[in-house]
Amino acid sequence: MNDIVQSILSQLIMMAPFAYLFICLNKAEKYRLNGQHYGELANLESEEIQVTNYKALAKENKSKAKTIISIAIGIIAFLYLLSSIVGLYAQQSNFLSDMFPAFSPNGGLGIWIPSMIGLLLLIPIIRKQLSKWVPIDPQNSLHTVSLSLSMLIFIQLFVSMSIGLEDSMIGLPDQTALQAIVDLWTQNILLAFLAFFGVGWLTRRSGKELLDRLGLVLPSGKSVLIGMIVGLLFVGVAVGLEFAFTQFGIGSDPEVNRATEQLLGPLFTSFFGVLTLGLAAALGEELIFRGALLPRFGIFLTSILFTFLHTQYGFSVATLIVFILAIVLAYLRQRYNTSVTMIVHATYNIALGLLTYFQI
């Protein structure tokens, strides 16, 4: 029980700074929009007193927004700068790599490059050019920070690849089924709250506006049926692709299979564990990627981020399957809503989990 409590607390501590950051940035965005509103009123009003009051309100709100945004971006820029220095130093020194495998030369490059890109994305002119291909508002601080922080996924990917499966698995304790279930639910519930805070819950959006922004609706019977059918069809696609690649001598990586068994194996030992694998991931991952990010990052970038988040130790057939699934989910989000993509995701994970469960 102590291990479970410790795991929950560690995930809370890790996620809390990001939640607080997005709460602050949503407040800044609210101030920014209010400042524009009061500025427009000042231009419309004729009485001098009202004009003066509206101008003062506009200036105050814009000042508050700039202060919060400057602090937030300054902190992020400092952390990325620090990370890039560590990565660059690791490229030229054996000192760090002797202590930590993550700081090997390849690992150092994997930290340095995404960190530098994260810094560049904080520059307005670069975001303005990027907005020609990605549907972001280059002036929106939330879009700026979210885009920059997406580089953390690439840092995680490249560092994990640098460490390798064998070293990364050393020292990891074997989990019980209960621990694995609690960990997965905790992680995805926190991701769901991060999506809520990220789009302005408790700061600038009401409950209905929150649901509309995330694409959450009460699914109809038809939507449930569509989601389940697509999820089951994609199970066939995934199994077919794996079989086809196997015929060409391209199979799954045995080390990846062993790592998956160590991390997720306990979930396949019970029906409730299989349900958790589907329902928890459908909740957190869909709200973050298809609910919050897709309308702002577009189909391609969101799908790349989703794929790389699930590609911790290298590229394989599974990487292609995840990417195709991400594209399908993105189109379903645009065609229907996030509720449908949650049903598809849950059906897909549960069906694959049941196939493994009944093979045990």
Side-chain angles (χ1 to χ4, degrees), residues 92 147 257 269 275 292-293 301 316 342 348:
Q92 303 173 355
L147 194 62
N257 291 338
T269 60
L275 287 178
L293 294 183
L301 179 56
S316 64
M342 293 171 78
Y348 174 74

Side-chain angles (χ1 to χ4, degrees), residues 43 67 134 190 229 272 303 308 338:
N43 292 330
T67 300
V134 179
L190 290 176
I229 289 175
F272 186 71
S303 300
F308 280 9
T338 306

Side-chain angles (χ1 to χ4, degrees), residues 223-246:
S223 296
V224 173
L225 184 61
I226 290 173
M228 294 182 68
I229 289 175
V230 173
L232 292 174
L233 285 175
F234 203 82
V235 171
V237 171
V239 173
L241 282 173
E242 287 190 351
F243 176 78
F245 276 95
T246 301

Side-chain angles (χ1 to χ4, degrees), residues 75-324:
I75 292 173
I76 293 170
F78 172 76
L79 293 177
Y80 270 133
L81 182 61
L82 183 62
S83 298
S84 66
I85 292 173
V86 170
L88 187 61
Y89 180 71
Q91 284 291 107
Q92 303 173 355
S93 171
N94 294 325
F95 175 71
L96 289 175
S97 59
D98 289 340
M99 294 190 298
F100 305 105
F103 294 119
S104 64
N106 291 334
L109 193 63
I111 294 172
W112 182 77
I113 292 177
S115 295
M116 293 305 298
I117 295 175
L119 280 171
L120 291 174
L121 290 173
L122 298 176
I123 301 174
I125 191 172
I126 292 179
R127 293 197 307 276
K128 185 176 181 180
Q129 294 300 315
L130 187 62
S131 65
K132 296 177 181 178
W133 294 279
V134 179
I136 61 168
D137 176 2
Q139 303 301 321
N140 189 306
S141 60
L142 282 161
H143 299 183
T144 298
V145 169
S146 299
L147 194 62
S148 181
L149 289 179
S150 69
M151 290 299 105
L152 295 177
I153 292 178
F154 293 93
I155 291 175
Q156 177 194 13
L157 169 65
F158 294 136
V159 170
S160 298
M161 290 175 63
S162 174
I163 296 174
L165 277 173
E166 185 176 351
D167 289 336
S168 64
M169 292 292 107
I170 295 176
L172 284 180
D174 293 330
Q175 285 188 316
T176 65
L178 178 60
Q179 287 174 324
I181 289 170
V182 171
D183 274 357
L184 198 57
W185 274 113
T186 301
Q187 176 185 341
N188 283 281
I189 289 173
L190 290 176
L191 283 177
F193 274 104
L194 190 62
F196 292 158
F197 291 132
V199 300
W201 184 48
L202 301 181
T203 48
R204 64 187 183 92
R205 279 194 168 98
S206 65
K208 184 180 183 305
E209 291 171 335
L210 173 73
L211 297 178
D212 290 342
R213 169 63 179 81
L214 291 174
L216 287 177
V217 300
L218 183 64
S220 63
K222 180 181 178 181
S223 296
V224 173
L225 184 61
I226 290 173
M228 294 182 68
I229 289 175
V230 173
L232 292 174
L233 285 175
F234 203 82
V235 171
V237 171
V239 173
L241 282 173
E242 287 190 351
F243 176 78
F245 276 95
T246 301
Q247 300 308 303
F248 290 97
I250 306 174
S252 58
D253 190 332
E255 290 189 1
V256 173
N257 291 338
R258 285 195 295 271
T260 302
E261 175 63 26
Q262 184 172 351
L263 294 173
L264 299 178
L267 295 173
F268 299 122
T269 60
S270 69
F271 184 67
F272 186 71
V274 172
L275 287 178
T276 293
L277 186 64
L279 298 177
L283 172 69
E285 293 180 6
E286 288 307 307
L287 284 176
I288 282 287
F289 286 97
R290 258 64 63 177
L293 294 183
L294 180 64
R296 301 295 178 258
F297 285 7
I299 291 177
F300 183 74
L301 179 56
T302 303
S303 300
I304 287 291
L305 293 174
F306 180 79
T307 302
F308 280 9
L309 184 68
H310 292 80
T311 311
Q312 295 182 340
Y313 302 107
F315 300 95
S316 64
V317 178
T319 307
L320 176 62
I321 294 172
V322 172
F323 181 69
I324 296 173

